[in-house]
Amino acid sequence: ATVPLELTLVVAATARDMGIGANGGLPWTGLRKEMAYFARVTKRGDGNAVIMGRKTWDSIPPKFRPLRGRLNVVISRSFAPGLPKDPADGPDASPVEASSLEMALEYLRRAKVDSAAESANSRGGRVFVIGGAQIYGAALRLVEARRVLLTRVVSDFSCDTFFPLALGTTSVAADKTADAPTWVQRSRAEHAAWIGEEVPDGVQTEGETQYEFQMWERVD
Ligand code: FOL
């Protein structure tokens, strides 16, 4: 039996135009508390996985990758087709290499049902999609994409990469197209209950930068 797998996208994006990146990296520097939130939320619980594109993998400082305590799955069209192989040295040593998001999910579905102790996702961990734009776009086309943990960066930054869905301006976001899913912003209490920690209220300030933690869910 296949376990339905639910995807949560985690992203920090500018309020003005959903900018997420510039020149191969994040648009900002020094959002240490924001990054700590990302790390805590994606680690909490057992057996979580983070799925990312190859460019996002390259953007993570080598000393931080693979992201510790999470099964890292990296997607590149140049990886071997078919079901990804288990990483050679356990989940913290090397990432799982998948040729598409679909193959990454197929791998994680099997990891859920197999009893291999090494499988970082075998105890029902959460699956997070952590970017970048191409992988967010692929994820948003799937029914499995249920939730977005959005850090809405109020301060403006010049960006060359954008999150492919407008969220965070009003409490309901609907694509203009027929059949497109509707996204609603959940309350701070619902957000806290889902991530398992208190959510700081209102606009946060780190250095010169202002941002707000939000949770959005797709309603169908
Ligand atoms: N989501 C949010 N909310 N903020 C982000 O900065 C973010 N970044 C990415 C995806 N979703 C995000 C992709 N970029 C690291 C670096 C870049 C990156 C994601 C993660 C990283 O080094 N993470 C370490 C924390 C290191 C530290 O403590 O400074 C980790 O263990 O998660």
Side-chain angles (χ1 to χ4, degrees), residues 10-12 26 28 32 34-40 42-43 56 59-61 64-65 67-68 70 129-131 136 149-151 213:
V10 190
V11 62
L26 296 172
W28 40 80
R32 295 185 54 225
E34 205 292 316
M35 183 59 81
Y37 165 88
F38 166 89
R40 281 196 313 278
T42 55
K43 278 184 204 169
T56 295
S59 80
I60 298 173
F64 290 127
R65 69 185 200 221
L67 298 178
R68 288 203 325 263
R70 293 146 283 185
V129 174
I130 68 163
Y136 289 136
L149 296 174
L150 169 67
T151 301
F213 295 114

Side-chain angles (χ1 to χ4, degrees), residues 4-182:
L5 177 150
E6 176 176 291
L7 296 176
T8 296
L9 283 61
V10 190
V11 62
T14 60
R16 186 172 66 87
D17 58 4
M18 301 303 286
I20 60 171
N23 304 312
L26 296 172
W28 40 80
T29 54
L31 294 193
R32 295 185 54 225
K33 290 181 178 171
E34 205 292 316
M35 183 59 81
Y37 165 88
F38 166 89
R40 281 196 313 278
V41 166
T42 55
K43 278 184 204 169
R44 181 163 291 113
D46 277 319
N48 292 349
V50 287
I51 301 177
M52 71 195 91
R54 191 271 304 165
K55 292 177 191 173
T56 295
W57 170 266
D58 286 347
S59 80
I60 298 173
K63 65 175 173 181
F64 290 127
R65 69 185 200 221
L67 298 178
R68 288 203 325 263
R70 293 146 283 185
L71 175 66
N72 288 224
V73 182
V74 178
I75 296 170
S76 168
R77 288 186 189 91
S78 64
F79 290 150
L83 193 62
K85 299 193 301 264
D86 287 322
D89 305 297
D92 264 4
S94 54
V96 173
E97 298 185 342
S99 59
S100 67
L101 179 59
E102 286 69 23
M103 282 300 159
L105 300 189
E106 192 56 31
Y107 176 88
L108 292 172
R109 283 189 196 97
R110 292 180 188 230
K112 267 184 183 289
V113 294
D114 291 354
S115 56
E118 291 76 20
S119 164
N121 202 42
S122 61
R123 284 165 293 178
R126 290 173 168 179
V127 180
F128 295 97
V129 174
I130 68 163
Q134 292 183 52
I135 304 304
Y136 289 136
L140 287 168
R141 276 176 239 123
L142 303 177
V143 293
E144 285 90 342
R146 301 302 318 168
R147 183 177 302 97
V148 178
L149 296 174
L150 169 67
T151 301
R152 184 174 174 269
V153 179
V154 181
S155 310
D156 203 31
F157 289 87
S158 163
C159 296
D160 60 22
T161 312
F162 303 88
F163 188 74
L165 176 69
L167 293 174
T169 41
T170 61
S171 65
V172 178
D175 232 296
K176 308 285 164 267
T177 359
D179 289 352
T182 300

